[in-house]
Amino acid sequence: MSDRASDVIIIGGGIIGASVALELQRRGASVRVLERGEPGREASWAGAGMLAAQDPDTPECLRPLARASAEIYPDWVSELEQESGLSADLRCEGTIYLTQEKKEGLGPPLSDADVKSREGFLSKAPFAYFTTEASVDPRALMAVAVAAAKKGGIVISHEHHVTAIETSGNQAVGVRLGNQTVSANVIINCAGAWTGEVVGGEIETHPVKGQMLSVVPVNSREVPLKHVVRGDDVYLVPRSDGRILIGATVERVGFDKKVDAETILKMHRAAMELAPKIGEMRIHESWAGLRPGSPDKLPILGETGLKNYFAATGHYRNGILLAPVTARIMADVINGDTPQFDISRFTPSRFS
Ligand SMILES: Cc1cc2nc3c(=O)[nH]c(=O)nc-3n(C[C@H](O)[C@H](O)[C@H](O)COP(=O)(O)OP(=O)(O)OC[C@H]3O[C@@H](n4cnc5c(N)ncnc54)[C@H](O)[C@@H]3O)c2cc1C
């Protein structure tokens, strides 16, 4: 790779880095994405892809962004699909919540008959709710985003591990790759759980491990589930190719992606309690990924203490959902425009 300066360097080729790159390129910037391994093979590969904009557990201050992102998702995906010629498997069937306790903020509960008419194979639960929340296949979405980015002229470099930010005074002027410096006017750290490992202009994230598994039908391609189903212990996310994803653990165990058989079987059992037909399916795959957590569980968006060095990270459990709105916010901030949303709760400086 030459050290020719580009307008923008993005550190990290996950869904956040790719989305921000696409938006900046659309607004006229020349963009390079530097990815340590393969683009989209970390959290953005491991995610379930629920677009849970109405999740009652989402912090209040994040809800406007979550709702806005869900609203722009269909057009955003459709544009990228047209540019790439690939599909991200966006499914807009909605989500059924099945819970032991009453949940506020999900609208009126469904009757048993309502649940049965929407989804034939679910167990009964004391409370059921329906939301319009959609889902997407994050692996397919990454392929779509990377193909669209490359088509649009964005350079995405694999195996380019950024170790530090190069500075001049209190200003970022480039990044360090081994013993090479690559200069840029703007640098954005989108390195997910590894954000804090880049030396200079420290930004704090930590890994939050999530283990998952998927099951597939044994004989037919008929999927016994149409909606996303969210129980108290596990959720089920159907894909159009017949897989059903079951997830996920939330573990603070450092940079550890080991899959534990006992944990996987426990989630499998919990899934069968929600939908007994899962027991007739074959376990297809199990995996783990590292969500980018932040000290207050909120994303970190905006300029850091170093001029021209920005962060778009810490999306924790909602990075797939928040990708399009993050891209717009970051493009506004970098271009000196006022973002449509109040991002004062998300600034990197809140921790200093
Ligand atoms: C099990 C699980 C289930 C999830 N389910 C959902 C869900 O249903 N809905 C939802 O919205 N979100 C979900 N998430 C969260 C979502 O996947 C993440 O928030 C999102 O993928 C974060 O994207 P990212 O681009 O910030 O991080 P990543 O995808 O991890 O990308 C960061 C990239 O930076 C690269 N990198 C790191 N350090 C460097 C460096 N120094 N130099 C160059 N490159 C570097 C990494 O290799 C990586 O490719 C889930 C996550 C997990 C693990």
Side-chain angles (χ1 to χ4, degrees):
M1 179 173 162
S2 84
D3 67 351
R4 182 181 61 82
S6 49
D7 296 339
V8 180
I9 281 180
I10 291 181
I11 307 168
I15 195 60
I16 299 298
S19 308
V20 173
L22 280 158
E23 186 65 27
L24 284 167
Q25 183 258 346
R26 274 179 197 160
R27 297 195 197 184
S30 78
V31 185
R32 281 180 182 191
V33 178
L34 302 179
E35 164 56 47
R36 189 186 58 156
E38 288 290 306
R41 289 291 300 184
E42 291 292 351
S44 304
W45 176 86
M50 294 178 294
L51 307 180
Q54 288 151 267
D55 187 338
D57 293 337
T58 300
E60 191 70 43
C61 65
L62 195 54
R63 291 186 192 176
L65 270 64
R67 282 194 295 266
S69 217
E71 226 173 275
I72 53 183
Y73 230 92
D75 286 346
W76 182 71
V77 164
S78 149
E79 235 173 84
L80 293 178
E81 286 180 336
Q82 275 169 33
E83 285 163 27
S84 65
L86 302 171
S87 163
D89 196 19
L90 178 70
R91 292 172 59 92
C92 300
E93 305 288 351
T95 296
I96 294 175
Y97 284 70
L98 290 184
T99 63
Q100 295 299 314
E101 282 172 19
K102 202 168 173 185
K103 289 246 182 203
E104 298 300 332
L106 290 175
L110 298 178
S111 67
D112 287 345
D114 274 348
V115 176
K116 197 121 204 98
S117 72
R118 287 175 188 276
E119 199 71 83
F121 301 113
L122 295 181
S123 300
K124 278 192 188 170
F127 297 95
Y129 304 89
F130 174 78
T131 71
T132 52
E133 291 169 337
S135 70
V136 72
D137 179 344
R139 299 179 191 179
L141 177 66
M142 272 310 310
V144 165
V146 167
K150 287 185 175 164
K151 219 167 177 178
I154 295 169
V155 178
I156 304 186
S157 306
H158 303 205
E159 321 250 321
H160 279 66
H161 190 162
V162 174
T163 51
I165 304 300
E166 291 287 338
T167 58
S168 166
N170 191 34
Q171 185 165 323
V173 293
V175 298
R176 180 139 287 270
L177 280 172
N179 53 14
Q180 197 188 6
T181 296
V182 185
S183 23
N185 301 326
V186 167
I187 295 136
I188 314 172
N189 190 327
C190 301
W194 299 267
T195 299
E197 292 190 346
V198 179
V199 176
E202 272 65 20
I203 309 160
E204 204 184 326
T205 59
H206 56 255
V208 183
K209 178 176 171 179
Q211 299 188 51
M212 295 196 69
L213 69 150
S214 65
V215 292
V216 287
V218 176
N219 291 320
S220 77
R221 293 189 60 80
E222 189 198 327
V223 187
L225 216 60
K226 212 165 78 173
H227 303 73
V228 171
V229 177
R230 299 192 57 168
D232 292 322
D233 298 323
V234 287
Y235 52 72
L236 315 175
V237 185
R239 298 272 190 257
S240 302
D241 63 7
R243 282 175 296 154
I244 295 178
L245 275 67
I246 302 167
T249 62
V250 178
E251 303 167 63
R252 281 292 297 271
V253 290
F255 290 97
D256 160 21
K257 289 197 288 183
K258 279 196 297 286
V259 176
D260 170 49
E262 188 88 7
T263 305
I264 295 296
L265 290 176
K266 205 167 140 199
M267 286 196 289
H268 189 227
R269 279 196 295 273
M272 286 191 280
E273 276 169 31
L274 270 186
K277 282 246 169 199
I278 296 272
E280 295 170 20
M281 300 175 80
R282 181 167 58 79
I283 294 186
H284 172 63
E285 194 188 354
S286 58
W287 66 93
L290 302 175
R291 307 174 183 92
S294 74
D296 57 7
K297 299 186 177 167
L298 295 174
I300 305 172
L301 307 174
E303 198 165 19
T304 68
L306 268 184
K307 197 166 168 353
N308 299 334
Y309 179 40
F310 295 80
T313 186
H315 290 78
Y316 189 39
R317 303 190 76 173
N318 285 305
I320 305 298
L321 166 65
L322 294 170
V325 82
T326 297
R328 288 191 184 181
I329 288 171
M330 292 308 295
D332 285 342
V333 170
I334 285 157
N335 287 327
D337 300 328
T338 309
Q340 213 186 325
F341 303 93
D342 176 11
I343 57 161
S344 53
R345 292 289 302 275
F346 312 122
T347 57
S349 63
R350 71 186 187 272
F351 303 118
S352 52

